[in-house]
Amino acid sequence: MKCKSSSFKVVAMVVEKGSCDYYKKGDSFPLTGFTPKGLCDCAYAVLSRDAQSLRYGARLPWQTSENTLLVHCPDPTGAVWELKRTPREKNDTEPSH
């Protein structure tokens, strides 16, 4: 069975580093359904749920605007991430499984 292509691309960017030693403010990772190289599994676990929703056009109650929302690392003093979606170009392809 073929999955429906998403309408949007989503990028996660560190907006507050917190106590995290792995990232610096401004670091960003494309979220495509697979854990990006350099992104820790704990961060991906919390980012991926909202990122998948945004990729398919969902509007979540906690969004900061129509196309962005903030997500906090599971570590209470860790990084704060901004998820931002942008429309996918017609020639963009999604990664295959």
Side-chain angles (χ1 to χ4, degrees):
M1 175 160 97
K2 186 172 179 170
C3 295
K4 179 185 174 204
S5 290
S6 63
S7 301
F8 299 92
K9 295 187 287 188
V10 176
V11 173
M13 182 176 68
V14 177
V15 293
E16 291 179 27
K17 179 186 170 310
S19 65
C20 183
D21 292 330
Y22 296 108
Y23 309 109
K24 62 183 181 304
K25 186 175 181 174
D27 284 349
S28 64
F29 299 88
L31 300 178
T32 63
F34 300 98
T35 307
K37 184 176 182 173
L39 183 62
C40 77
D41 291 335
C42 291
Y44 183 71
V46 298
L47 296 170
S48 64
R49 178 198 65 194
D50 291 343
Q52 286 292 83
S53 298
L54 291 175
R55 287 178 67 217
Y56 289 94
R59 173 79 172 138
L60 301 169
W62 51 91
Q63 283 182 234
T64 52
S65 76
E66 183 177 340
N67 293 311
T68 62
L69 63 86
L70 297 177
V71 179
H72 200 287
C73 177
D75 179 343
T77 63
V80 176
W81 299 81
E82 177 186 68
L83 297 182
K84 184 173 185 172
R85 72 173 158 203
T86 56
R88 185 176 295 286
E89 300 293 327
K90 290 184 189 216
N91 59 351
D92 282 348
T93 58
E94 292 191 297
S96 52
H97 299 283

